[in-house]
Coordinates of all heavy atoms in Angstrom, one line a residue:
M7 N 108.6 76.2 120.0 CA 107.9 77.3 119.2 C 108.9 77.9 118.2 O 110.0 78.1 118.6 CB 107.4 78.4 120.2 CG 106.0 78.1 120.8 SD 105.5 79.4 121.9 CE 105.1 80.7 120.7
P8 N 108.4 78.1 117.0 CA 109.3 78.8 116.1 C 109.6 80.2 116.5 O 108.8 80.9 117.0 CB 108.6 78.7 114.7 CG 107.1 78.5 115.1 CD 107.1 77.8 116.4
K9 N 110.9 80.6 116.2 CA 111.3 82.0 116.5 C 110.6 82.9 115.6 O 110.6 82.8 114.4 CB 112.8 82.1 116.4 CG 113.4 83.3 117.0 CD 114.9 83.2 117.0 CE 115.5 84.6 117.2 NZ 116.9 84.6 116.9
Q10 N 110.0 84.0 116.2 CA 109.3 85.0 115.3 C 110.2 85.9 114.6 O 111.2 86.3 115.2 CB 108.3 85.8 116.2 CG 106.9 85.2 116.2 CD 106.0 86.3 116.8 OE1 106.3 86.9 117.8 NE2 104.8 86.3 116.2
K11 N 110.0 86.1 113.4 CA 110.8 87.0 112.6 C 110.4 88.4 113.0 O 109.2 88.8 113.2 CB 110.5 86.9 111.1 CG 111.7 87.2 110.2 CD 111.4 86.9 108.8 CE 110.6 88.0 108.2 NZ 110.2 87.8 106.8
K12 N 111.4 89.3 113.2 CA 111.2 90.6 113.7 C 110.5 91.4 112.6 O 110.8 91.4 111.4 CB 112.5 91.3 114.0 CG 112.4 92.5 114.8 CD 113.7 93.0 115.2 CE 113.6 94.4 115.9 NZ 114.8 95.1 115.9
K13 N 109.4 92.1 113.0 CA 108.6 92.9 112.0 C 109.5 94.1 111.6 O 110.0 94.8 112.4 CB 107.3 93.4 112.6 CG 106.2 92.5 112.3 CD 104.8 93.0 112.7 CE 104.6 94.4 113.1 NZ 103.3 94.6 113.7
T14 N 109.5 94.4 110.3 CA 110.2 95.6 109.8 C 109.2 96.7 109.9 O 108.0 96.6 109.5 CB 110.6 95.5 108.3 OG1 109.5 95.0 107.6 CG2 111.8 94.5 108.2
P15 N 109.6 97.8 110.5 CA 108.7 99.0 110.7 C 108.4 99.6 109.4 O 109.3 99.9 108.6 CB 109.5 99.9 111.6 CG 110.9 99.5 111.6 CD 110.9 98.1 111.1
L16 N 107.1 99.8 109.1 CA 106.7 100.4 107.8 C 106.3 101.9 108.1 O 105.7 102.2 109.1 CB 105.5 99.7 107.2 CG 105.8 98.2 106.8 CD1 104.5 97.6 106.3 CD2 106.8 98.2 105.7
R17 N 106.6 102.7 107.1 CA 106.2 104.1 107.2 C 105.6 104.5 105.9 O 106.0 104.0 104.9 CB 107.4 105.0 107.6 CG 108.0 104.8 108.9 CD 107.0 105.1 110.1 NE 107.6 104.9 111.4 CZ 107.5 103.8 112.1 NH1 106.8 102.8 111.6 NH2 108.0 103.7 113.3
K18 N 104.7 105.5 105.9 CA 104.1 106.0 104.7 C 104.8 107.2 104.1 O 105.1 108.2 104.8 CB 102.6 106.3 104.9 CG 101.9 106.6 103.6 CD 100.5 107.2 103.9 CE 99.5 106.0 104.1 NZ 98.1 106.5 104.1
C19 N 105.2 107.1 102.8 CA 105.8 108.2 102.1 C 104.7 109.3 101.9 O 103.6 109.0 101.5 CB 106.3 107.8 100.8 SG 106.8 109.1 99.7
V20 N 105.0 110.6 102.3 CA 104.0 111.7 102.2 C 103.7 112.0 100.7 O 102.7 112.6 100.4 CB 104.5 112.9 102.9 CG1 104.6 112.7 104.4 CG2 105.8 113.5 102.4
V21 N 104.6 111.6 99.8 CA 104.3 111.9 98.4 C 103.5 110.7 97.7 O 102.5 111.0 97.1 CB 105.7 112.1 97.6 CG1 105.4 112.4 96.1 CG2 106.4 113.2 98.2
T22 N 104.1 109.5 97.7 CA 103.4 108.4 97.0 C 102.3 107.7 97.8 O 101.6 106.9 97.2 CB 104.5 107.3 96.6 OG1 105.0 106.8 97.9 CG2 105.6 108.0 95.8
Q23 N 102.3 108.0 99.1 CA 101.3 107.3 100.0 C 101.5 105.8 100.1 O 100.6 105.1 100.5 CB 99.8 107.6 99.6 CG 99.5 109.1 99.5 CD 99.6 109.8 100.9 OE1 99.1 109.3 101.9 NE2 100.3 110.9 101.0
E24 N 102.7 105.4 99.8 CA 103.0 103.9 99.8 C 103.6 103.6 101.2 O 104.4 104.4 101.7 CB 104.1 103.6 98.8 CG 103.6 103.6 97.4 CD 104.7 103.3 96.4 OE1 105.6 104.1 96.3 OE2 104.7 102.2 95.9
M25 N 103.2 102.5 101.7 CA 103.9 102.0 102.9 C 105.2 101.2 102.5 O 105.1 100.3 101.7 CB 102.9 101.0 103.7 CG 101.7 101.6 104.2 SD 102.0 102.9 105.4 CE 102.3 101.9 106.9
K26 N 106.3 101.7 103.1 CA 107.6 101.1 102.8 C 108.4 100.9 104.1 O 108.2 101.5 105.1 CB 108.4 102.0 101.9 CG 107.8 102.2 100.5 CD 108.7 103.0 99.7 CE 108.3 103.1 98.3 NZ 109.2 103.9 97.5
P27 N 109.3 99.9 104.1 CA 110.2 99.8 105.2 C 111.0 101.1 105.4 O 111.3 101.8 104.5 CB 111.2 98.7 104.8 CG 110.5 97.9 103.7 CD 109.6 98.9 103.0
K28 N 111.2 101.4 106.7 CA 111.9 102.7 107.1 C 113.2 102.9 106.3 O 113.6 104.0 106.0 CB 112.2 102.7 108.6 CG 111.0 103.3 109.3 CD 111.2 103.1 110.8 CE 112.2 104.1 111.4 NZ 112.2 104.1 112.9
Q29 N 113.9 101.8 106.0 CA 115.2 101.9 105.4 C 115.1 102.5 104.0 O 116.1 103.0 103.4 CB 115.9 100.5 105.3 CG 116.3 99.9 106.6 CD 115.2 99.3 107.3 OE1 114.2 98.9 106.7 NE2 115.2 99.2 108.6
Q30 N 114.0 102.4 103.4 CA 113.8 102.9 102.0 C 113.3 104.3 102.0 O 113.0 104.8 100.9 CB 112.8 102.0 101.2 CG 113.3 100.6 101.0 CD 112.3 99.7 100.4 OE1 111.3 100.1 99.7 NE2 112.4 98.4 100.6
L31 N 113.2 104.9 103.1 CA 112.6 106.3 103.2 C 113.6 107.2 103.9 O 114.5 106.7 104.6 CB 111.3 106.2 104.0 CG 110.2 105.4 103.4 CD1 109.1 105.1 104.4 CD2 109.6 106.1 102.2
I32 N 113.5 108.5 103.7 CA 114.3 109.5 104.4 C 113.3 110.2 105.3 O 112.2 110.6 104.9 CB 114.9 110.5 103.4 CG1 115.7 109.7 102.3 CG2 115.8 111.5 104.1 CD1 116.2 110.6 101.2
R33 N 113.8 110.5 106.5 CA 112.9 111.2 107.5 C 113.3 112.7 107.5 O 114.5 113.0 107.6 CB 113.1 110.6 108.9 CG 112.2 111.2 109.9 CD 112.2 110.3 111.2 NE 111.2 110.8 112.1 CZ 111.5 111.4 113.3 NH1 112.8 111.5 113.6 NH2 110.6 111.8 114.1
V34 N 112.3 113.5 107.5 CA 112.5 115.0 107.6 C 111.8 115.4 108.9 O 110.6 115.0 109.1 CB 111.9 115.7 106.4 CG1 112.2 117.2 106.5 CG2 112.6 115.2 105.1
V35 N 112.4 116.2 109.7 CA 111.9 116.5 111.0 C 111.7 118.0 111.2 O 112.6 118.8 110.8 CB 112.8 116.0 112.1 CG1 112.3 116.4 113.5 CG2 112.9 114.5 112.0
R36 N 110.6 118.4 111.8 CA 110.5 119.8 112.3 C 110.5 119.7 113.8 O 109.6 119.1 114.5 CB 109.1 120.4 111.9 CG 109.0 121.9 112.3 CD 107.6 122.4 112.3 NE 106.9 121.8 113.4 CZ 105.6 121.5 113.5 NH1 104.9 121.5 112.4 NH2 105.1 121.0 114.6
N37 N 111.5 120.3 114.5 CA 111.5 120.3 115.9 C 110.7 121.4 116.5 O 110.1 122.2 115.8 CB 113.0 120.3 116.4 CG 113.7 121.6 116.0 OD1 113.1 122.6 115.7 ND2 115.0 121.6 116.1
K38 N 110.6 121.5 117.9 CA 109.7 122.5 118.5 C 110.2 123.9 118.3 O 109.4 124.8 118.5 CB 109.4 122.1 119.9 CG 110.6 122.1 120.9 CD 110.1 121.7 122.3 CE 111.2 121.7 123.3 NZ 112.1 120.5 123.2
E39 N 111.5 124.1 117.9 CA 111.9 125.4 117.6 C 111.5 125.8 116.2 O 111.8 127.0 115.8 CB 113.5 125.5 117.7 CG 114.0 125.5 119.1 CD 114.0 124.2 119.8 OE1 114.4 123.2 119.1 OE2 113.6 124.1 121.0
G40 N 111.0 124.9 115.4 CA 110.5 125.2 114.1 C 111.6 125.0 113.0 O 111.4 125.3 111.9
Q41 N 112.7 124.4 113.4 CA 113.8 124.1 112.4 C 113.4 122.8 111.7 O 112.9 121.9 112.3 CB 115.1 123.9 113.1 CG 115.6 125.1 113.9 CD 116.7 124.7 114.8 OE1 116.6 123.8 115.7 NE2 117.9 125.4 114.7
V42 N 113.6 122.8 110.4 CA 113.4 121.6 109.6 C 114.7 121.1 109.1 O 115.5 121.8 108.6 CB 112.4 122.0 108.4 CG1 112.2 120.8 107.5 CG2 111.1 122.5 108.9
F43 N 114.9 119.8 109.2 CA 116.2 119.2 108.8 C 116.0 117.7 108.4 O 115.0 117.1 108.8 CB 117.2 119.3 109.9 CG 116.8 118.9 111.2 CD1 117.0 117.6 111.6 CD2 116.2 119.8 112.1 CE1 116.6 117.2 112.9 CE2 115.8 119.4 113.4 CZ 116.0 118.1 113.8
V44 N 116.9 117.2 107.7 CA 116.9 115.8 107.3 C 117.5 115.0 108.5 O 118.5 115.3 109.0 CB 117.7 115.5 106.1 CG1 117.8 114.1 105.7 CG2 117.2 116.3 104.9
D45 N 116.7 114.0 109.0 CA 117.1 113.2 110.1 C 117.7 111.9 109.6 O 117.0 110.9 109.2 CB 115.9 112.9 111.0 CG 116.2 112.0 112.2 OD1 117.4 111.8 112.4 OD2 115.3 111.6 112.9
T46 N 119.0 111.8 109.5 CA 119.7 110.6 109.0 C 119.6 109.4 110.0 O 119.6 108.3 109.6 CB 121.1 110.8 108.6 OG1 121.8 111.5 109.7 CG2 121.2 111.7 107.4
T47 N 119.5 109.7 111.3 CA 119.4 108.7 112.3 C 118.0 108.1 112.4 O 117.9 106.9 112.8 CB 119.8 109.2 113.7 OG1 118.9 110.2 114.1 CG2 121.2 109.8 113.7
G48 N 117.0 108.9 112.1 CA 115.6 108.4 112.3 C 115.2 108.4 113.7 O 114.1 107.9 114.0
K49 N 115.9 109.1 114.6 CA 115.6 109.1 116.0 C 115.4 110.4 116.6 O 115.2 110.5 117.8 CB 116.7 108.3 116.8 CG 116.7 106.8 116.4 CD 117.8 106.1 117.2 CE 117.7 104.6 117.0 NZ 117.8 104.1 115.7
K50 N 115.6 111.5 115.9 CA 115.5 112.8 116.5 C 114.1 113.2 116.9 O 113.2 112.7 116.3 CB 116.1 113.9 115.5 CG 117.6 113.7 115.2 CD 118.2 115.0 114.8 CE 119.7 114.9 114.8 NZ 120.3 113.9 113.8
N51 N 114.0 114.1 117.9 CA 112.7 114.5 118.4 C 112.1 115.5 117.4 O 112.8 116.3 116.8 CB 112.9 115.2 119.8 CG 113.1 114.1 120.9 OD1 112.8 113.0 120.7 ND2 113.7 114.6 121.9
G52 N 110.8 115.4 117.4 CA 110.1 116.4 116.5 C 109.1 115.7 115.6 O 108.9 114.5 115.7
R53 N 108.4 116.5 114.9 CA 107.3 116.0 113.9 C 108.1 115.5 112.7 O 108.8 116.2 112.0 CB 106.4 117.2 113.5 CG 105.4 116.9 112.5 CD 104.1 116.5 113.2 NE 103.0 116.4 112.2 CZ 102.5 115.3 111.8 NH1 103.0 114.2 112.1 NH2 101.5 115.3 110.9
G54 N 107.9 114.2 112.4 CA 108.6 113.6 111.3 C 107.7 113.3 110.1 O 106.5 113.0 110.3
A55 N 108.3 113.4 108.9 CA 107.6 113.0 107.7 C 108.6 112.2 106.9 O 109.8 112.5 106.9 CB 107.2 114.3 106.9
Y56 N 108.1 111.2 106.3 CA 108.9 110.3 105.5 C 108.7 110.5 104.0 O 107.6 110.7 103.6 CB 108.6 108.8 105.9 CG 109.1 108.4 107.3 CD1 108.2 108.6 108.4 CD2 110.3 107.9 107.5 CE1 108.7 108.3 109.6 CE2 110.8 107.6 108.8 CZ 109.9 107.8 109.8 OH 110.3 107.5 111.1
I57 N 109.8 110.4 103.3 CA 109.7 110.6 101.9 C 110.6 109.5 101.2 O 111.6 109.1 101.7 CB 110.1 112.0 101.5 CG1 109.9 112.3 100.0 CG2 111.6 112.3 101.8 CD1 109.9 113.8 99.6
S58 N 110.1 109.0 100.1 CA 110.8 107.9 99.3 C 112.2 108.4 98.9 O 112.3 109.6 98.5 CB 110.0 107.5 98.1 OG 108.8 106.9 98.5
K59 N 113.2 107.5 98.9 CA 114.5 107.8 98.4 C 114.5 107.8 96.9 O 115.0 106.9 96.2 CB 115.5 106.8 98.9 CG 115.9 106.9 100.3 CD 117.0 106.0 100.7 CE 117.3 106.1 102.2 NZ 118.2 105.1 102.7
N60 N 113.8 108.8 96.3 CA 113.7 108.9 94.8 C 113.5 110.3 94.4 O 112.7 111.0 95.0 CB 112.6 107.8 94.5 CG 111.6 108.2 93.5 OD1 111.5 109.3 93.0 ND2 110.7 107.2 93.2
I61 N 114.3 110.7 93.4 CA 114.3 112.1 93.0 C 112.9 112.6 92.6 O 112.6 113.7 92.9 CB 115.4 112.3 91.8 CG1 116.8 112.1 92.4 CG2 115.2 113.6 91.2 CD1 117.3 113.2 93.3
D62 N 112.2 111.8 91.9 CA 110.9 112.2 91.4 C 110.0 112.6 92.6 O 109.2 113.6 92.6 CB 110.2 111.1 90.6 CG 110.9 110.8 89.3 OD1 111.7 111.7 88.8 OD2 110.8 109.7 88.8
A63 N 110.0 111.7 93.7 CA 109.2 112.0 94.8 C 109.6 113.3 95.5 O 108.8 114.1 96.0 CB 109.3 110.8 95.8
I64 N 110.9 113.5 95.6 CA 111.4 114.7 96.3 C 111.0 116.0 95.5 O 110.6 117.0 96.0 CB 113.0 114.6 96.4 CG1 113.3 113.5 97.5 CG2 113.5 116.0 96.9 CD1 114.7 113.1 97.5
N65 N 111.2 115.9 94.1 CA 110.8 117.0 93.3 C 109.3 117.3 93.4 O 108.9 118.5 93.5 CB 111.1 116.8 91.8 CG 112.6 116.8 91.6 OD1 113.3 117.5 92.3 ND2 113.1 116.1 90.6
K66 N 108.5 116.3 93.5 CA 107.0 116.4 93.6 C 106.7 117.1 94.9 O 105.9 118.0 95.0 CB 106.3 115.1 93.4 CG 104.8 115.2 93.3 CD 104.2 113.8 93.0 CE 102.7 113.9 93.1 NZ 102.1 112.6 93.0
A67 N 107.4 116.6 96.0 CA 107.1 117.2 97.3 C 107.5 118.7 97.3 O 106.8 119.5 97.9 CB 108.0 116.4 98.4
E68 N 108.6 119.0 96.6 CA 109.0 120.4 96.6 C 108.0 121.3 95.8 O 107.6 122.3 96.2 CB 110.4 120.5 96.0 CG 111.0 121.9 96.1 CD 112.5 121.8 95.7 OE1 112.9 120.9 95.0 OE2 113.2 122.8 96.0
D69 N 107.6 120.7 94.6 CA 106.7 121.5 93.7 C 105.3 121.7 94.3 O 104.8 122.8 94.2 CB 106.6 120.8 92.3 CG 107.9 120.7 91.6 OD1 108.8 121.5 91.9 OD2 108.0 119.9 90.7
Q70 N 104.8 120.7 95.0 CA 103.5 120.7 95.5 C 103.4 121.1 96.9 O 102.3 121.2 97.5 CB 102.8 119.4 95.2 CG 102.7 119.1 93.7 CD 101.9 117.7 93.5 OE1 101.5 117.1 94.4 NE2 101.9 117.3 92.2
G71 N 104.5 121.3 97.6 CA 104.5 121.7 99.0 C 104.0 120.6 99.9 O 103.4 120.9 101.0
L72 N 104.2 119.4 99.5 CA 103.7 118.3 100.3 C 104.3 118.2 101.7 O 103.6 117.9 102.7 CB 103.8 116.9 99.6 CG 103.0 116.9 98.3 CD1 103.4 115.6 97.5 CD2 101.5 116.9 98.5
L73 N 105.6 118.3 101.8 CA 106.3 118.2 103.0 C 105.9 119.4 103.9 O 105.7 119.2 105.1 CB 107.9 118.2 102.8 CG 108.6 116.9 102.7 CD1 110.0 117.1 102.5 CD2 108.3 116.0 103.9
A74 N 105.9 120.6 103.3 CA 105.5 121.8 104.1 C 104.1 121.6 104.7 O 103.9 122.0 105.9 CB 105.5 123.0 103.2
R75 N 103.2 121.0 103.9 CA 101.8 120.8 104.4 C 101.9 119.8 105.6 O 101.2 120.0 106.6 CB 100.9 120.4 103.3 CG 99.5 120.4 103.7 CD 98.6 120.0 102.5 NE 99.0 120.5 101.3 CZ 99.0 119.8 100.1 NH1 98.5 118.6 100.1 NH2 99.4 120.3 99.0
H76 N 102.6 118.8 105.4 CA 102.7 117.7 106.4 C 103.3 118.2 107.7 O 102.9 117.8 108.8 CB 103.5 116.5 105.8 CG 103.2 115.2 106.6 ND1 102.1 114.5 106.4 CD2 103.9 114.6 107.6 CE1 102.1 113.4 107.2 NE2 103.2 113.5 107.9
L77 N 104.3 119.0 107.6 CA 105.0 119.5 108.8 C 104.5 120.8 109.3 O 105.0 121.4 110.3 CB 106.5 119.6 108.5 CG 107.2 118.3 108.2 CD1 108.7 118.5 107.8 CD2 107.2 117.3 109.4
N78 N 103.5 121.4 108.6 CA 102.9 122.7 109.0 C 103.9 123.8 109.1 O 103.9 124.6 110.1 CB 102.1 122.5 110.3 CG 100.9 121.7 110.1 OD1 100.2 121.8 109.1 ND2 100.6 120.9 111.1
T79 N 104.8 123.9 108.2 CA 105.8 124.9 108.2 C 106.4 125.1 106.8 O 106.2 124.2 106.0 CB 106.9 124.6 109.2 OG1 107.7 125.8 109.4 CG2 107.8 123.5 108.8
S80 N 107.1 126.2 106.6 CA 107.7 126.4 105.3 C 109.1 125.7 105.3 O 109.7 125.6 106.4 CB 107.9 127.9 105.0 OG 108.6 128.5 106.0
I81 N 109.5 125.2 104.2 CA 110.7 124.4 104.1 C 111.7 125.0 103.2 O 111.4 125.4 102.0 CB 110.4 123.0 103.7 CG1 109.5 122.3 104.8 CG2 111.6 122.1 103.4 CD1 109.0 121.0 104.5
D82 N 112.9 125.3 103.6 CA 114.0 125.9 102.8 C 114.4 124.9 101.7 O 114.3 123.7 101.8 CB 115.2 126.1 103.7 CG 115.0 127.3 104.7 OD1 114.1 128.1 104.4 OD2 115.7 127.3 105.7
S83 N 114.9 125.5 100.6 CA 115.3 124.7 99.5 C 116.5 123.9 99.9 O 116.8 122.9 99.3 CB 115.6 125.6 98.3 OG 116.6 126.6 98.7
E84 N 117.3 124.4 100.9 CA 118.5 123.6 101.3 C 118.1 122.2 101.8 O 118.8 121.2 101.6 CB 119.2 124.3 102.5 CG 119.9 125.5 102.1 CD 119.3 126.8 102.7 OE1 119.2 126.9 104.0 OE2 118.8 127.6 101.9
V85 N 116.9 122.1 102.4 CA 116.4 120.8 102.9 C 116.2 119.9 101.7 O 116.6 118.7 101.7 CB 115.1 120.9 103.7 CG1 114.5 119.5 104.1 CG2 115.4 121.7 105.0
F86 N 115.6 120.4 100.6 CA 115.4 119.6 99.4 C 116.7 119.2 98.7 O 116.9 118.1 98.2 CB 114.4 120.3 98.5 CG 113.0 120.3 99.0 CD1 112.5 121.5 99.5 CD2 112.2 119.2 98.9 CE1 111.2 121.5 100.0 CE2 110.9 119.2 99.4 CZ 110.4 120.4 99.9
E87 N 117.7 120.2 98.8 CA 119.0 119.9 98.2 C 119.6 118.7 99.0 O 120.2 117.8 98.4 CB 119.9 121.1 98.3 CG 119.6 122.2 97.3 CD 119.5 121.7 95.9 OE1 120.5 121.1 95.5 OE2 118.5 122.0 95.2
E88 N 119.5 118.8 100.3 CA 120.1 117.7 101.1 C 119.4 116.4 100.8 O 120.1 115.3 100.7 CB 120.0 118.1 102.6 CG 120.8 117.2 103.5 CD 120.8 117.6 105.0 OE1 120.4 118.8 105.3 OE2 121.1 116.7 105.8
L89 N 118.1 116.4 100.7 CA 117.4 115.2 100.3 C 117.9 114.6 99.0 O 118.2 113.4 98.9 CB 115.9 115.4 100.2 CG 115.1 115.6 101.5 CD1 113.7 116.2 101.2 CD2 115.0 114.3 102.3
K90 N 118.0 115.5 98.0 CA 118.5 115.1 96.7 C 119.9 114.5 96.7 O 120.3 113.5 96.1 CB 118.4 116.2 95.7 CG 117.0 116.6 95.3 CD 116.9 117.8 94.5 CE 115.5 118.3 94.3 NZ 115.4 119.6 93.8
N91 N 120.8 115.2 97.5 CA 122.2 114.7 97.7 C 122.2 113.3 98.3 O 123.0 112.5 98.0 CB 123.0 115.7 98.6 CG 123.3 117.0 97.8 OD1 123.2 117.0 96.6 ND2 123.6 118.0 98.6
Q92 N 121.3 113.1 99.3 CA 121.3 111.8 100.0 C 120.8 110.7 99.0 O 121.4 109.6 99.0 CB 120.3 111.9 101.1 CG 120.7 110.9 102.2 CD 120.0 111.2 103.5 OE1 119.4 112.2 103.7 NE2 120.1 110.3 104.4
V93 N 119.9 111.0 98.1 CA 119.4 110.0 97.1 C 120.5 109.7 96.2 O 120.8 108.6 95.8 CB 118.2 110.5 96.4 CG1 117.9 109.6 95.2 CG2 117.0 110.6 97.3
N94 N 121.2 110.8 95.7 CA 122.3 110.6 94.8 C 123.5 109.8 95.4 O 124.1 109.0 94.7 CB 122.8 112.0 94.2 CG 121.8 112.6 93.3 OD1 120.9 111.9 92.8 ND2 121.8 113.9 93.3
S95 N 123.8 110.1 96.6 CA 124.9 109.4 97.3 C 124.6 107.9 97.5 O 125.4 107.0 97.6 CB 125.3 110.1 98.6 OG 124.3 109.9 99.5
D96 N 123.3 107.6 97.7 CA 122.9 106.2 98.0 C 122.8 105.4 96.7 O 122.7 104.2 96.7 CB 121.5 106.2 98.6 CG 121.5 106.5 100.1 OD1 122.6 106.7 100.6 OD2 120.5 106.5 100.7
G97 N 122.9 106.1 95.6 CA 122.9 105.4 94.3 C 121.5 105.4 93.7 O 120.9 104.6 93.2

């Protein structure tokens, strides 16, 4: 039998509504204490939302409150700054 290729996990970007491999997305988490942070490991506990690694998507999420709506909480501008820094550092 041919060896099966491992399926890449796909997640939907909350801004573009596109299904993409997890590696192309950044995960933002709200934990049960209500803290919102960028999850670089992709494994932290809490309600997660994925956003494309792209400045336009992050700006749109910030302007339209898409992440806040998805995570049912308000989101500090520091979270968006961290997202933008991560996109810029990834090139």
